[in-house]
Amino acid sequence: VTPSLLITVTVIPALSRRLLRFGTPDDNATDRVERHHLPLIDAVASRVAGLLHSFTARVLNRRSLAVTVVAMVTPVALGGAWMFLPKLEYLPEGNRNLVFGIILPPPGYNLDTMSEIARRMEDATRPYWASLHGPEAAPDEPPKIKRIFFVATRALAFVGAQASEPQRAAELIPLLHDPVFSEPGTFGFISQPSIFGRGIGSGRRIDLDISGPELNDLLKVAVTAVRRVVTVMPLEAGNQLRPNPGLELGAPEVRVIPHRLRLADNGITARELAEAIDAANDGLRVTEVSDGSSRIDLTLMGPRNGIDSTQGIGNLPVVTPAGAVVPVSQLADVVMTSGPTELRHRERERTITLEIRPAPGVPLEVALEQLRDEVMNPLEQAGLPPGVKLGLSGTADQLAQTWDAMVVQLLLALVIVYLVMAVLFESFIYPLVILLSVPVAAVGGIAGLAVLNLFAYQPLDMLTLLGFVILVGIVVNNAILLVHQSLHLRRERGMAPHEAITIATRNRLRPIFMSTLTSVFGMLPLVLFPGAGSELYRGLGTVVIGGLSMSAVLTLLIVPPMLGLLMPALEARHDAHRA
């Protein structure tokens, strides 16, 4: 914008003087400017100009009509923008050529079972391997798979693939999802990693955190929450769910529960019992010793071949203060049970997190509302165990923080534009008239999104929301043209306010539509032509195009009436100050 401003005031006047041929002002000279008439466009333009001139004359001559027009258009625009505002999304996913999934099998699965799942996925996807059948996909078939992998551990598995056609990578998700998640009790998700995500599995993910002191209570609440989530957001509709960690206690665990009466009889504390058991197993760190410039942990460790099975823990020797040696089984109860495969903590509390990925066509804000209204609120109303809390984190927190920051930026843009215009017009009132074009532009941007969603899904993500910030600085240009020309005619030519507004509206009609049409057609490729990255900027271009188109029309409907109401009194005060 800055270089174009310099060129406009330097190069353009010089070239105009050299290249353009103007007619001479004397009566005997013929006009040498050639005019080319466009049949349809000229007829429509003349008709629009005539209607606009008639409308401006009416609202300027009737004060009540001017008030009615302004009072109807602006509130209706604001109300329509708020009513039809799409639900928020965080950031677009992009179209990364990678499909990645995290799979959480039922507890107790060994590597042989996981290998069987991998073979099932291999057999289901083999017809689409590019190495066997070529990179070209048949019509109405998913793209061929360029690379594929499956990695299994004791607790979870990873699966991923790349497509031979990078733009169609998302079509591989059903190919991997169906054979993997046909195993009963399997949770997880398979998706395209977001180009804005910090790691694999981030992006459009909502974390429902269930925190509390007792693990059993957390498991009960988590199981109930999972049932509600899959009811509200069915997995068959494309929603995905993964508990982290799992919902079953599937890891073998030996618990030593001290018997306080027996400990007291032998003069041993529970801490001393625990230290004795640690020393006989992994070793007990006693202190730290120095060896030159190095510091080494001094560890007390029992014989390595004393106990070779978990059942032998009860036979570990413990020395009492009296010098007697007693086994652990006489001081505590040794219980063979099962425990969690992982302990997660959030804000120093045990936490089970339900990682939820809404279906691609469900905005993140809609999914958050469903989780609050139909999952969290019913659980809280039914009563949670003592100390158990529910909370949303992950992308939910990021969406709220980014929305708050975007609102601040939008208000800051309005304030800056207002102050700049207040300095240029030497008035605090005329800039308010110009800012009336902002809400009508917002309606145009939202209408543009609505039209685009008839053909392709486009949520109101944070990049799209930037279009409204951009509109603040663009749509005021049309109103500035009207206000500046009206003030010029009033102050420099001495015209009456209503006459100055009428002539300014007629004279500025062509520049307004020329600048709007060039901007709109210049941005149409962002919306109409697909390509790499088009999913990122398509929404932003749609908002700007819709806002410019709508403001070009509605600005001509509300700015002249508003000027007609305010300009006579303001200019009378201006003349009084000058006198």
Side-chain angles (χ1 to χ4, degrees):
V1 173
T2 302
S4 69
L5 174 63
L6 298 177
I7 293 174
T8 300
V9 299
T10 55
V11 179
I12 299 301
L15 288 178
S16 300
R17 178 68 180 86
R18 286 284 185 180
L19 301 179
L20 299 182
R21 302 170 61 188
F22 297 96
T24 57
D26 56 305
D27 297 334
N28 296 326
T30 58
D31 188 359
R32 290 179 291 179
V33 177
E34 297 182 3
R35 296 182 178 274
H36 300 278
H37 296 280
L38 302 175
L40 180 61
I41 296 179
D42 281 352
V44 173
S46 299
R47 181 63 176 170
V48 171
L51 292 175
L52 182 61
H53 180 76
S54 174
F55 168 79
T56 304
R58 284 177 176 272
V59 296
L60 293 179
N61 291 328
R62 298 178 58 184
R63 188 179 183 88
S64 60
L65 182 59
V67 173
T68 302
V69 170
V70 175
M72 288 182 60
V73 173
T74 305
V76 169
L78 288 172
W82 180 258
M83 182 178 300
F84 296 101
L85 185 69
K87 295 298 183 179
L88 292 176
E89 185 63 77
Y90 179 49
L91 285 172
E93 293 284 276
N95 196 16
R96 189 175 176 182
N97 188 15
L98 175 63
V99 173
F100 187 86
I102 300 177
I103 304 164
L104 191 67
Y109 272 30
N110 54 26
L111 289 180
D112 291 337
T113 306
M114 298 301 296
S115 298
E116 181 61 32
I117 297 176
R119 280 192 291 270
R120 188 186 309 152
M121 183 201 70
E122 181 179 339
D123 295 338
T125 59
R126 184 177 285 108
Y128 304 98
W129 290 2
S131 59
L132 298 179
H133 307 283
E136 298 295 330
D140 301 327
E141 282 192 358
K144 292 301 177 64
I145 299 175
K146 183 179 180 181
R147 295 184 181 92
I148 188 170
F149 65 87
F150 188 99
V151 181
T153 67
R154 290 188 304 170
L156 49 84
F158 306 96
V159 61
Q162 282 186 324
S164 296
E165 301 174 62
Q167 297 299 320
R168 302 178 61 190
E171 299 179 36
L172 298 180
I173 294 178
L175 293 181
L176 304 181
H177 185 278
D178 295 341
V180 170
F181 290 99
S182 61
E183 190 72 19
T186 302
F187 290 98
F189 56 80
I190 299 178
S191 63
Q192 273 186 291
S194 172
I195 62 174
F196 295 104
R198 296 181 179 179
I200 298 295
S202 58
R204 299 184 73 252
R205 192 186 77 189
I206 304 173
D207 293 344
L208 175 57
D209 296 321
I210 305 170
S211 303
E214 295 294 333
L215 183 60
N216 290 330
D217 292 339
L218 297 183
L219 289 173
K220 293 178 182 178
V221 175
V223 170
T224 305
V226 166
R227 292 171 182 164
R228 287 188 173 273
V229 169
V230 297
T231 302
V232 175
M233 306 172 65
L235 302 183
E236 297 80 6
N239 303 288
Q240 301 188 63
L241 169 68
R242 176 203 171 199
N244 185 19
L247 301 181
E248 292 94 358
L249 300 177
E253 183 176 275
V254 179
R255 294 183 185 179
V256 180
I257 305 174
H259 196 291
R260 298 191 179 277
L261 183 58
R262 297 174 188 172
L263 289 175
D265 291 341
N266 289 273
I268 299 176
T269 64
R271 181 182 181 88
E272 292 170 345
L273 173 64
E275 291 174 348
I277 296 176
D278 283 344
N281 284 276
D282 294 334
L284 176 66
R285 180 183 178 274
V286 179
T287 185
E288 192 175 65
V289 298
S290 299
D291 182 13
S293 59
S294 302
R295 301 185 68 83
I296 304 174
D297 288 340
L298 179 61
T299 303
L300 179 64
M301 185 176 294
R304 305 303 298 166
N305 56 356
I307 299 298
D308 56 3
S309 64
T310 54
Q311 290 80 1
I313 292 179
N315 298 325
L316 289 174
V318 179
V319 180
T320 67
V325 178
V326 295
V328 170
S329 59
Q330 292 188 11
L331 303 174
D333 296 327
V334 181
V335 180
M336 303 296 297
T337 181
S338 59
T341 57
E342 178 186 356
L343 287 177
R344 296 184 69 251
H345 288 79
R346 184 176 179 85
E347 296 181 358
R348 304 180 67 180
E349 288 189 322
R350 289 183 176 180
T351 301
I352 295 177
T353 300
L354 304 183
E355 299 176 357
I356 304 162
R357 293 184 64 88
V362 179
L364 204 59
E365 187 180 7
V366 173
L368 289 172
E369 291 176 353
Q370 290 177 337
L371 291 176
R372 290 193 185 98
D373 298 339
E374 302 182 48
V375 177
M376 298 174 64
N377 290 344
L379 287 176
E380 292 172 348
Q381 292 172 1
L384 296 173
V388 175
K389 296 179 295 184
L390 303 179
L392 294 174
S393 61
T395 309
D397 289 342
Q398 297 169 359
L399 177 64
Q401 294 171 5
T402 309
W403 168 255
D404 294 340
M406 197 67 68
V407 170
V408 173
Q409 293 173 12
L410 185 61
L411 295 177
L412 185 60
L414 287 170
V415 171
I416 292 175
V417 170
Y418 172 77
L419 293 178
V420 170
M421 290 189 298
V423 172
L424 296 179
F425 284 110
E426 299 179 351
S427 171
F428 289 105
I429 304 300
Y430 288 123
L432 293 177
V433 177
I434 295 173
L435 288 181
L436 285 176
S437 59
V438 174
V440 300
V443 173
I446 294 172
L449 283 179
V451 173
L452 178 61
N453 275 284
L454 297 177
F455 305 96
Y457 175 68
Q458 177 60 53
L460 183 61
D461 55 56
M462 294 299 110
L463 292 185
T464 301
L465 200 59
L466 282 176
F468 292 97
V469 180
I470 296 173
L471 279 178
V472 173
I474 297 178
V475 298
V476 295
N477 294 337
N478 296 335
I480 289 175
L481 288 175
L482 291 177
V483 175
H484 176 267
Q485 184 68 6
S486 300
L487 292 177
H488 175 76
L489 295 176
R490 169 67 182 86
R491 296 175 180 178
E492 303 298 330
R493 304 285 184 87
M495 294 183 181
H498 287 183
E499 181 185 5
I501 296 171
T502 303
I503 296 177
T505 304
R506 183 183 63 195
N507 292 345
R508 290 307 186 205
L509 181 61
R510 182 186 295 268
I512 287 175
F513 277 98
M514 287 177 64
S515 61
T516 300
L517 289 176
T518 53
S519 299
V520 168
F521 282 101
M523 289 190 178
L524 276 179
L526 296 179
V527 181
L528 299 182
F529 297 101
S534 61
E535 66 279 357
L536 303 181
Y537 50 72
R538 182 177 57 192
L540 187 148
T542 302
V543 168
V544 175
I545 290 173
L548 283 174
S549 304
M550 186 72 75
S551 68
V553 176
L554 295 185
T555 296
L556 294 170
L557 297 181
I558 62 174
V559 172
M562 198 68 182
L563 281 177
L565 295 173
L566 300 177
M567 194 171 177
L570 294 177
E571 289 306 298
R573 185 184 305 172
H574 179 269
D575 294 340
H577 282 302
R578 293 184 62 182

